[in-house]
Every structure is written in C-alpha cells, then in structure tokens.
Amino acid sequence: MRDHAAPQGAQAALRAIRLLKLFAAETSELQLAEISVSAGLNKTTTHRLLQALHSEEMLERNPATGAYRLGSAMMALGVQALSGNELRLRARPMLRRLADETGETATLEVPVDDTMLILDEVTTKHFVGASGNVGTRWPIHATSTGKALIAFEQCGVQRLNSDLTALTAHTITRLDTLENQLSDIRRRGFAETVDELEDGFSGVGVAVRGGMGEVLGALSICGPTQRLSEARRTQLGATLCTVASRLQPRY
C-alpha cells in the first residue's frame, strides 16, 4: 500500500487508519499475519501500529485466538458520529415516511471506499423484509445506492475495483457492462439492483446531494424481489427522486 501525497509526518497515522478500515462485518477479527498482508506492511511495522491502537482501546484482542477486533473506543466514536450526523438527522423523518407509505425498508447510505455503508434505516412491517443492517457495508457495484452514487458522483467510477466480485449469478462483474447501465441511471434518475446483492433481494436507489450539488450519499427502498416488480420499482424510483430533492438543502 502506497501513501499518496501524505502530509509530512503523517505516514504512521495514515497507516494506522488504514489498518482500522480493514475490519468489516465479514472480517470482524483478523490475525497479525492477515493484517500485515492486507495492508502491504511488514509484520514488525504492523505489530507496532496494532499495539498503539490497542493501547488507545481502538482495538482489542480475542484472548482465545489472539486475533484483533475493533475496540470500545472505536464503538464510542461510531456512536458519536452516527448520533451527530447532520444528513442522518434530516433524513430520518423521510425514511420513516417512506417505510410507512411503501411497506418496505428505507435506508440512508454513504460511500466508504468501494462499499456503501448503511448509515440509517427504517424497517418494513412485513414479516419478510430487509432489516437490522445499520453499520453494514456492501460492495458498491451490487447495490442500487452504490450504482446511483457512482452514476452521479464526479469520478464515481473510480471507486470501483477492476475486479468486481460476483455475489450472485446476477451480479454485474464487467466494468463496461456496469458503465453502460450508468447511462440509463442518469436518464431515469434512479438505480436498481435485482438479485445482484443476494438472491431474492431487490432495491431502488437515488443519489442524495448537498447544497452545492455534491453527492453525499444515497437513499433506497428495498425488499424481497417478489414484491418489487419492474413496475413497482419504477414507481418507487419516482418517489425516491422526489424525496431526495426535498432532502437537498436550499441556500
């Protein structure tokens, strides 16, 4: 891993931050060797950084395996960031309304590297539906929110890895195929995912903009594919476009 234009004296801090970002839902615990390889650092440097993070309770260790995982200080920072996020506070009433009116789960998501992080959600009243995913990160190319974001964000395509992972048989794994889809997304104003993230799961997403027109994140309505027909996805897309427009600040 190379440090691009890092401020003088900031290399250690940037490396420590990048170590923390290696931890995700599917890799909640990592061994020293795994972290060293993923970060592209030798074990000595990696161990020194991990010890520093451990001393500040940003990481803790599993006493049975010695593996590292995110610590209490990181959890506290996450709660503080979530509770104070201005976009989340403004979007929350709209998510409630969307969930009530559509009967499906409504989410607010923001980009983190090549993934979309679920910042907030209001779940469906249906017995079968998407739920319990706040804090989860999903590959940006397989989500409706991710497609909407990269379609409208300046240089959004640069967030994509050259190797697009197949999560189902329907996941788009060719960059040129996805880029062709982005043109349709820009024309319609909303994006779709149908059985691409998970079999039987579909969603519709739109970009959320700031006061200067910059893309901040995305809204989605998602649920079982059997309930989200093509006609209903089109209807939900129009609804989300209206809500996203209302969410954008007017200065």
Side-chain angles (χ1 to χ4, degrees):
M1 182 178 294
R2 294 179 296 174
D3 297 323
H4 297 286
Q8 187 174 5
Q11 186 180 65
L14 288 173
R15 285 176 170 175
I17 292 169
R18 288 167 183 165
L19 292 190
L20 292 172
K21 291 169 74 173
L22 294 175
F23 293 87
E26 65 276 11
T27 53
S28 59
E29 291 195 359
L30 293 169
Q31 295 286 351
L32 169 61
E34 295 176 293
I35 298 171
S36 175
V37 171
S38 296
L41 301 171
N42 62 55
K43 286 187 178 180
T44 300
T45 299
T46 303
H47 184 261
R48 184 171 66 249
L49 293 169
L50 292 173
Q51 287 298 98
L53 292 168
H54 184 266
S55 70
E56 292 298 316
E57 299 183 336
M58 306 296 275
L59 292 176
E60 59 183 36
R61 298 191 73 180
N62 185 326
T65 65
Y68 291 88
R69 58 194 177 201
L70 296 179
S72 57
M74 279 296 297
M75 287 185 268
L77 286 174
V79 170
Q80 292 171 24
L82 186 63
S83 62
N85 183 274
E86 189 265 346
L87 178 60
R88 176 180 177 270
L89 294 175
R90 288 193 292 110
R92 182 69 179 179
M94 297 183 182
L95 293 180
R96 289 198 187 101
R97 192 174 304 116
L98 283 169
D100 287 343
E101 292 178 356
T102 67
E104 306 295 349
T105 296
T107 72
L108 171 67
E109 305 179 26
V110 292
V112 179
D113 298 326
D114 61 344
T115 66
M116 293 300 290
L117 168 72
I118 300 180
L119 189 62
D120 199 7
E121 73 173 6
V122 177
T123 58
T124 175
K125 294 179 180 178
H126 286 292
F127 181 74
V128 177
S131 64
N133 293 311
V134 171
T136 302
R137 289 163 55 180
W138 295 109
I140 200 167
H141 68 282
T143 62
S144 62
T145 49
K147 292 180 185 180
L149 184 126
I150 60 178
F152 291 100
E153 184 183 52
Q154 187 176 13
C155 303
V157 176
Q158 294 180 10
R159 289 184 179 274
L160 296 169
N161 290 321
S162 56
D163 181 22
L164 302 180
T165 303
L167 302 174
T168 74
H170 300 280
T171 307
I172 295 175
T173 57
R174 289 179 56 91
L175 188 57
D176 56 348
T177 302
L178 182 56
E179 287 179 328
N180 289 336
Q181 195 176 93
L182 297 181
S183 298
D184 289 334
I185 294 170
R186 295 185 188 102
R187 176 179 54 80
R188 296 180 303 175
F190 65 90
E192 299 174 290
T193 181
V194 180
D195 300 329
E196 296 175 50
L197 183 63
E198 181 180 342
D199 286 319
F201 175 87
S202 292
V204 181
V206 299
V208 174
R209 297 181 182 275
M212 302 299 292
E214 73 279 17
V215 178
L216 301 178
L219 293 172
S220 84
I221 297 173
C222 51
T225 300
Q226 63 183 7
R227 288 205 302 265
L228 269 64
S229 64
E230 182 178 359
R232 190 163 187 234
R233 292 196 305 272
T234 299
Q235 180 185 36
L236 294 174
T239 298
L240 281 172
C241 286
T242 299
V243 172
S245 177
R246 291 173 182 166
L247 187 56
Q248 183 177 358
R250 306 297 179 187
Y251 299 133

